Structures are given as structure tokens and as C-alpha cells.
Short mmCIF file of all heavy atoms in Angstrom, two decimals:
data_model
loop_
_atom_site.label_atom_id
_atom_site.label_comp_id
_atom_site.label_asym_id
_atom_site.label_seq_id
_atom_site.Cartn_x
_atom_site.Cartn_y
_atom_site.Cartn_z
N ARG A 536 102.77 -7.32 2.75
CA ARG A 536 101.81 -8.28 3.28
C ARG A 536 102.41 -9.69 3.33
O ARG A 536 103.12 -10.12 2.43
CB ARG A 536 100.52 -8.29 2.45
CG ARG A 536 99.73 -6.99 2.60
CD ARG A 536 98.33 -7.09 2.03
NE ARG A 536 97.61 -5.82 2.21
CZ ARG A 536 96.94 -5.49 3.31
NH1 ARG A 536 96.88 -6.34 4.32
NH2 ARG A 536 96.33 -4.32 3.38
N ASN A 537 102.09 -10.38 4.43
CA ASN A 537 102.42 -11.79 4.59
C ASN A 537 101.37 -12.58 3.81
O ASN A 537 100.20 -12.61 4.18
CB ASN A 537 102.40 -12.16 6.07
CG ASN A 537 102.80 -13.59 6.34
OD1 ASN A 537 102.60 -14.47 5.52
ND2 ASN A 537 103.37 -13.84 7.51
N GLN A 538 101.80 -13.23 2.73
CA GLN A 538 100.86 -13.83 1.79
C GLN A 538 100.54 -15.30 2.09
O GLN A 538 100.05 -16.02 1.22
CB GLN A 538 101.43 -13.73 0.37
CG GLN A 538 101.70 -12.32 -0.12
CD GLN A 538 100.44 -11.61 -0.58
OE1 GLN A 538 99.33 -12.13 -0.47
NE2 GLN A 538 100.59 -10.40 -1.11
N LYS A 539 100.77 -15.75 3.33
CA LYS A 539 100.41 -17.12 3.68
C LYS A 539 98.89 -17.26 3.71
O LYS A 539 98.18 -16.47 4.34
CB LYS A 539 100.98 -17.50 5.04
CG LYS A 539 102.46 -17.86 4.99
CD LYS A 539 102.91 -18.45 6.32
CE LYS A 539 104.37 -18.89 6.25
NZ LYS A 539 104.83 -19.46 7.54
N GLN A 540 98.40 -18.30 3.03
CA GLN A 540 96.97 -18.49 2.90
C GLN A 540 96.28 -18.71 4.24
O GLN A 540 95.13 -18.29 4.44
CB GLN A 540 96.68 -19.69 1.97
CG GLN A 540 95.22 -19.91 1.65
CD GLN A 540 94.57 -18.74 0.91
OE1 GLN A 540 95.25 -18.01 0.20
NE2 GLN A 540 93.27 -18.56 1.09
N LYS A 541 96.98 -19.35 5.19
CA LYS A 541 96.34 -19.65 6.48
C LYS A 541 95.94 -18.37 7.21
O LYS A 541 94.95 -18.36 7.96
CB LYS A 541 97.25 -20.51 7.35
CG LYS A 541 98.51 -19.83 7.85
CD LYS A 541 99.31 -20.77 8.74
CE LYS A 541 100.56 -20.11 9.29
NZ LYS A 541 101.33 -21.03 10.15
N TYR A 542 96.68 -17.28 6.99
CA TYR A 542 96.33 -16.03 7.65
C TYR A 542 95.12 -15.38 7.00
O TYR A 542 94.30 -14.76 7.67
CB TYR A 542 97.53 -15.08 7.65
CG TYR A 542 98.67 -15.59 8.49
CD1 TYR A 542 99.96 -15.66 7.97
CD2 TYR A 542 98.46 -16.03 9.79
CE1 TYR A 542 101.01 -16.15 8.73
CE2 TYR A 542 99.50 -16.53 10.55
CZ TYR A 542 100.77 -16.58 10.02
OH TYR A 542 101.80 -17.07 10.78
N PHE A 543 95.01 -15.55 5.69
CA PHE A 543 93.82 -15.03 5.02
C PHE A 543 92.58 -15.78 5.50
O PHE A 543 91.51 -15.18 5.72
CB PHE A 543 93.95 -15.15 3.51
CG PHE A 543 92.80 -14.55 2.75
CD1 PHE A 543 92.77 -13.19 2.50
CD2 PHE A 543 91.74 -15.34 2.31
CE1 PHE A 543 91.70 -12.62 1.81
CE2 PHE A 543 90.68 -14.79 1.63
CZ PHE A 543 90.65 -13.43 1.38
N GLU A 544 92.70 -17.09 5.67
CA GLU A 544 91.57 -17.89 6.14
C GLU A 544 91.20 -17.52 7.57
O GLU A 544 90.03 -17.57 7.95
CB GLU A 544 91.92 -19.37 6.04
CG GLU A 544 92.08 -19.86 4.60
CD GLU A 544 92.63 -21.26 4.51
OE1 GLU A 544 92.93 -21.87 5.57
OE2 GLU A 544 92.77 -21.77 3.38
N LEU A 545 92.21 -17.13 8.36
CA LEU A 545 91.96 -16.81 9.76
C LEU A 545 91.44 -15.39 9.94
O LEU A 545 90.52 -15.14 10.72
CB LEU A 545 93.25 -17.00 10.56
CG LEU A 545 93.17 -16.87 12.08
CD1 LEU A 545 92.20 -17.90 12.66
CD2 LEU A 545 94.56 -17.03 12.70
N TYR A 546 92.03 -14.43 9.20
CA TYR A 546 91.72 -13.02 9.41
C TYR A 546 90.95 -12.37 8.26
O TYR A 546 90.61 -11.19 8.33
CB TYR A 546 93.02 -12.23 9.64
CG TYR A 546 93.85 -12.76 10.78
CD1 TYR A 546 95.10 -13.32 10.54
CD2 TYR A 546 93.39 -12.72 12.10
CE1 TYR A 546 95.88 -13.82 11.58
CE2 TYR A 546 94.15 -13.22 13.14
CZ TYR A 546 95.40 -13.76 12.88
OH TYR A 546 96.16 -14.26 13.90
N ARG A 547 90.75 -13.12 7.18
CA ARG A 547 90.08 -12.62 5.97
C ARG A 547 90.87 -11.52 5.27
O ARG A 547 90.32 -10.74 4.49
CB ARG A 547 88.65 -12.13 6.26
CG ARG A 547 87.77 -13.13 6.97
CD ARG A 547 87.84 -14.53 6.38
NE ARG A 547 87.47 -14.54 4.96
CZ ARG A 547 87.65 -15.61 4.16
NH1 ARG A 547 88.24 -16.70 4.63
NH2 ARG A 547 87.27 -15.57 2.91
N GLU A 548 92.14 -11.43 5.56
CA GLU A 548 93.05 -10.55 4.85
C GLU A 548 94.47 -11.02 5.12
O GLU A 548 94.73 -11.76 6.07
CB GLU A 548 92.89 -9.10 5.28
CG GLU A 548 93.29 -8.84 6.73
CD GLU A 548 93.20 -7.37 7.09
OE1 GLU A 548 92.87 -6.56 6.20
OE2 GLU A 548 93.47 -7.04 8.26
N TYR A 549 95.40 -10.60 4.26
CA TYR A 549 96.81 -10.91 4.47
C TYR A 549 97.40 -9.82 5.36
O TYR A 549 97.37 -8.65 5.01
CB TYR A 549 97.55 -10.98 3.14
CG TYR A 549 97.07 -12.10 2.23
CD1 TYR A 549 96.30 -11.83 1.10
CD2 TYR A 549 97.39 -13.42 2.51
CE1 TYR A 549 95.84 -12.85 0.28
CE2 TYR A 549 96.94 -14.45 1.69
CZ TYR A 549 96.17 -14.17 0.57
OH TYR A 549 95.72 -15.18 -0.24
N PRO A 550 97.94 -10.20 6.52
CA PRO A 550 98.44 -9.16 7.45
C PRO A 550 99.68 -8.45 6.93
O PRO A 550 100.50 -9.05 6.22
CB PRO A 550 98.76 -9.96 8.72
CG PRO A 550 99.01 -11.36 8.24
CD PRO A 550 98.10 -11.56 7.06
N ILE A 551 99.81 -7.19 7.28
CA ILE A 551 100.99 -6.41 6.92
C ILE A 551 102.09 -6.68 7.95
O ILE A 551 101.85 -6.67 9.15
CB ILE A 551 100.66 -4.91 6.86
CG1 ILE A 551 99.70 -4.63 5.71
CG2 ILE A 551 101.93 -4.08 6.71
CD1 ILE A 551 99.24 -3.18 5.62
N VAL A 552 103.29 -6.93 7.46
CA VAL A 552 104.45 -7.14 8.34
C VAL A 552 104.83 -5.79 8.94
O VAL A 552 105.03 -4.81 8.22
CB VAL A 552 105.62 -7.74 7.54
CG1 VAL A 552 106.84 -7.94 8.43
CG2 VAL A 552 105.20 -9.07 6.90
N LYS A 553 104.93 -5.73 10.27
CA LYS A 553 105.11 -4.46 10.96
C LYS A 553 106.51 -4.34 11.57
O LYS A 553 107.01 -5.27 12.20
CB LYS A 553 104.07 -4.31 12.07
CG LYS A 553 102.63 -4.33 11.57
CD LYS A 553 101.65 -4.28 12.73
CE LYS A 553 100.21 -4.34 12.24
NZ LYS A 553 99.26 -4.35 13.39
N LEU A 554 107.11 -3.19 11.37
CA LEU A 554 108.39 -2.87 12.02
C LEU A 554 108.08 -2.15 13.33
O LEU A 554 107.60 -1.02 13.34
CB LEU A 554 109.23 -1.97 11.10
CG LEU A 554 110.58 -1.50 11.66
CD1 LEU A 554 111.50 -2.68 11.97
CD2 LEU A 554 111.25 -0.55 10.67
N TRP A 555 108.36 -2.81 14.46
CA TRP A 555 108.02 -2.26 15.76
C TRP A 555 109.16 -1.45 16.37
O TRP A 555 108.95 -0.38 16.93
CB TRP A 555 107.60 -3.36 16.72
CG TRP A 555 106.22 -3.86 16.50
CD1 TRP A 555 105.84 -5.15 16.18
CD2 TRP A 555 104.99 -3.12 16.58
NE1 TRP A 555 104.48 -5.24 16.05
CE2 TRP A 555 103.93 -4.01 16.29
CE3 TRP A 555 104.70 -1.78 16.86
CZ2 TRP A 555 102.59 -3.60 16.29
CZ3 TRP A 555 103.37 -1.38 16.85
CH2 TRP A 555 102.34 -2.28 16.57
N ARG A 556 110.39 -1.99 16.31
CA ARG A 556 111.52 -1.29 16.91
C ARG A 556 112.74 -1.46 16.03
O ARG A 556 112.93 -2.52 15.42
CB ARG A 556 111.81 -1.82 18.32
CG ARG A 556 110.69 -1.60 19.31
CD ARG A 556 111.10 -2.04 20.72
NE ARG A 556 110.02 -1.87 21.66
CZ ARG A 556 109.09 -2.79 21.92
NH1 ARG A 556 109.15 -3.95 21.30
NH2 ARG A 556 108.13 -2.56 22.79
N TRP A 557 113.57 -0.43 16.00
CA TRP A 557 114.82 -0.53 15.24
C TRP A 557 115.83 0.44 15.85
O TRP A 557 115.50 1.52 16.31
CB TRP A 557 114.59 -0.22 13.76
CG TRP A 557 114.18 1.20 13.50
CD1 TRP A 557 114.99 2.26 13.18
CD2 TRP A 557 112.86 1.73 13.57
NE1 TRP A 557 114.26 3.41 13.03
CE2 TRP A 557 112.94 3.12 13.27
CE3 TRP A 557 111.61 1.18 13.85
CZ2 TRP A 557 111.83 3.93 13.25
CZ3 TRP A 557 110.50 2.01 13.83
CH2 TRP A 557 110.62 3.36 13.53
N GLU A 558 117.07 0.01 15.87
CA GLU A 558 118.17 0.83 16.36
C GLU A 558 119.47 0.15 15.95
O GLU A 558 119.64 -1.05 16.18
CB GLU A 558 118.13 0.98 17.88
CG GLU A 558 119.26 1.82 18.43
CD GLU A 558 119.25 1.93 19.94
OE1 GLU A 558 118.24 1.50 20.57
OE2 GLU A 558 120.24 2.43 20.51
N HIS A 559 120.35 0.91 15.34
CA HIS A 559 121.64 0.31 14.96
C HIS A 559 122.49 0.14 16.22
O HIS A 559 122.99 1.13 16.78
CB HIS A 559 122.37 1.16 13.93
CG HIS A 559 123.70 0.58 13.54
ND1 HIS A 559 123.80 -0.63 12.90
CD2 HIS A 559 124.96 1.03 13.72
CE1 HIS A 559 125.08 -0.90 12.69
NE2 HIS A 559 125.80 0.08 13.18
N ARG A 560 122.63 -1.09 16.66
CA ARG A 560 123.41 -1.38 17.86
C ARG A 560 123.83 -2.85 17.83
O ARG A 560 123.20 -3.68 17.16
CB ARG A 560 122.60 -1.11 19.13
CG ARG A 560 121.33 -1.95 19.24
CD ARG A 560 120.53 -1.59 20.47
NE ARG A 560 119.30 -2.37 20.58
CZ ARG A 560 118.43 -2.24 21.57
NH1 ARG A 560 118.63 -1.34 22.53
NH2 ARG A 560 117.34 -2.99 21.61
N GLN A 561 124.89 -3.15 18.55
CA GLN A 561 125.37 -4.52 18.64
C GLN A 561 124.71 -5.21 19.82
O GLN A 561 124.39 -4.60 20.84
CB GLN A 561 126.88 -4.54 18.79
CG GLN A 561 127.62 -4.02 17.56
CD GLN A 561 129.13 -4.02 17.75
OE1 GLN A 561 129.62 -4.04 18.88
NE2 GLN A 561 129.86 -3.99 16.65
N THR A 562 124.53 -6.52 19.68
CA THR A 562 123.93 -7.31 20.75
C THR A 562 124.90 -7.46 21.92
O THR A 562 126.13 -7.39 21.74
CB THR A 562 123.52 -8.70 20.25
OG1 THR A 562 122.96 -9.45 21.35
CG2 THR A 562 124.70 -9.47 19.70
N THR A 563 124.34 -7.68 23.09
CA THR A 563 125.16 -7.96 24.27
C THR A 563 125.51 -9.44 24.36
O THR A 563 126.29 -9.83 25.23
CB THR A 563 124.42 -7.56 25.55
OG1 THR A 563 123.14 -8.23 25.59
CG2 THR A 563 124.19 -6.05 25.59
N PHE A 564 124.93 -10.27 23.45
CA PHE A 564 125.25 -11.70 23.47
C PHE A 564 126.69 -11.93 23.04
O PHE A 564 127.16 -11.38 22.05
CB PHE A 564 124.33 -12.46 22.52
CG PHE A 564 124.73 -13.90 22.32
CD1 PHE A 564 124.40 -14.86 23.27
CD2 PHE A 564 125.44 -14.29 21.19
CE1 PHE A 564 124.78 -16.19 23.09
CE2 PHE A 564 125.82 -15.60 21.01
CZ PHE A 564 125.48 -16.55 21.95
N LEU A 565 127.39 -12.75 23.81
CA LEU A 565 128.76 -13.13 23.47
C LEU A 565 128.86 -14.64 23.51
O LEU A 565 128.47 -15.27 24.50
CB LEU A 565 129.76 -12.53 24.46
CG LEU A 565 129.93 -11.01 24.44
CD1 LEU A 565 130.83 -10.57 25.60
CD2 LEU A 565 130.54 -10.57 23.11
N PRO A 566 129.36 -15.26 22.43
CA PRO A 566 129.58 -16.71 22.47
C PRO A 566 130.68 -17.04 23.47
O PRO A 566 131.44 -16.15 23.88
CB PRO A 566 129.99 -17.06 21.04
CG PRO A 566 130.52 -15.79 20.48
CD PRO A 566 129.76 -14.68 21.15
N PRO A 567 130.80 -18.32 23.88
CA PRO A 567 131.86 -18.69 24.82
C PRO A 567 133.24 -18.30 24.31
O PRO A 567 133.44 -18.04 23.13
CB PRO A 567 131.72 -20.22 24.90
CG PRO A 567 130.30 -20.48 24.55
CD PRO A 567 129.93 -19.44 23.53
N LEU A 568 134.21 -18.24 25.23
CA LEU A 568 135.57 -17.81 24.93
C LEU A 568 136.09 -18.54 23.70
O LEU A 568 136.00 -19.75 23.59
CB LEU A 568 136.47 -18.10 26.12
CG LEU A 568 137.89 -17.52 26.05
CD1 LEU A 568 137.83 -16.00 26.00
CD2 LEU A 568 138.70 -17.99 27.25
N GLY A 569 136.62 -17.78 22.78
CA GLY A 569 137.14 -18.38 21.55
C GLY A 569 136.15 -18.35 20.42
O GLY A 569 136.47 -18.69 19.29
N GLY A 570 134.91 -17.96 20.72
CA GLY A 570 133.92 -17.82 19.66
C GLY A 570 133.35 -19.13 19.17
O GLY A 570 132.71 -19.19 18.13
N VAL A 571 133.57 -20.24 19.90
CA VAL A 571 133.07 -21.54 19.46
C VAL A 571 131.93 -21.94 20.36
O VAL A 571 132.04 -21.92 21.58
CB VAL A 571 134.18 -22.61 19.51
CG1 VAL A 571 133.63 -23.96 19.09
CG2 VAL A 571 135.34 -22.20 18.61
N VAL A 572 130.81 -22.29 19.75
CA VAL A 572 129.68 -22.79 20.53
C VAL A 572 129.34 -24.17 20.04
O VAL A 572 129.61 -24.54 18.90
CB VAL A 572 128.44 -21.86 20.39
CG1 VAL A 572 128.72 -20.51 20.97
CG2 VAL A 572 128.01 -21.75 18.93
N GLN A 573 128.75 -24.94 20.90
CA GLN A 573 128.35 -26.28 20.53
C GLN A 573 126.99 -26.25 19.86
O GLN A 573 126.10 -25.52 20.27
CB GLN A 573 128.29 -27.18 21.78
CG GLN A 573 129.63 -27.34 22.49
CD GLN A 573 130.64 -28.06 21.62
OE1 GLN A 573 130.31 -29.00 20.90
NE2 GLN A 573 131.88 -27.61 21.65
N SER A 574 126.80 -27.06 18.84
CA SER A 574 125.50 -27.16 18.22
C SER A 574 124.53 -27.74 19.24
O SER A 574 124.80 -28.77 19.84
CB SER A 574 125.56 -28.07 16.98
OG SER A 574 126.40 -27.50 16.01
N PRO A 575 123.40 -27.07 19.45
CA PRO A 575 122.48 -27.54 20.47
C PRO A 575 121.82 -28.85 20.09
O PRO A 575 121.54 -29.11 18.93
CB PRO A 575 121.44 -26.41 20.54
CG PRO A 575 121.50 -25.77 19.21
CD PRO A 575 122.92 -25.87 18.76
#
């Protein structure tokens, strides 16, 4: 359960954290050449 008080006040219960999807795989995201990215 997510024990943040604001959710209890909103929903009258602490919501359960839900696992929707899972799969062991690598992302297709690749940083720029050389692996260096600029801090946004």
C-alpha cells in the first residue's frame, strides 16, 4: 500500500501499488554517440 495520507483523504483507503506490465528486456533508448548527454 501507498501510505501517503493525501490518498487516504481522497479515496478513504491507502491504494495498493499495482504491477501492470513486466518483461526482462533492454530499452531501445540510446544516448548520443559516446554515451554522453547534456544535463537538461
Side-chain angles (χ1 to χ4, degrees):
R536 292 192 180 274
N537 183 330
Q538 300 281 5
K539 281 189 176 180
Q540 185 62 28
K541 67 178 182 180
Y542 294 129
F543 184 82
E544 293 171 358
L545 187 60
Y546 304 114
R547 307 314 302 169
E548 65 176 358
Y549 296 107
I551 294 177
V552 179
K553 299 176 182 178
L554 178 61
W555 283 119
R556 297 185 182 89
W557 66 94
E558 179 182 350
H559 180 63
R560 61 183 179 180
Q561 294 178 340
T562 179
T563 56
F564 171 80
L565 292 173
L568 189 63
V571 178
V572 296
Q573 298 295 321
S574 296

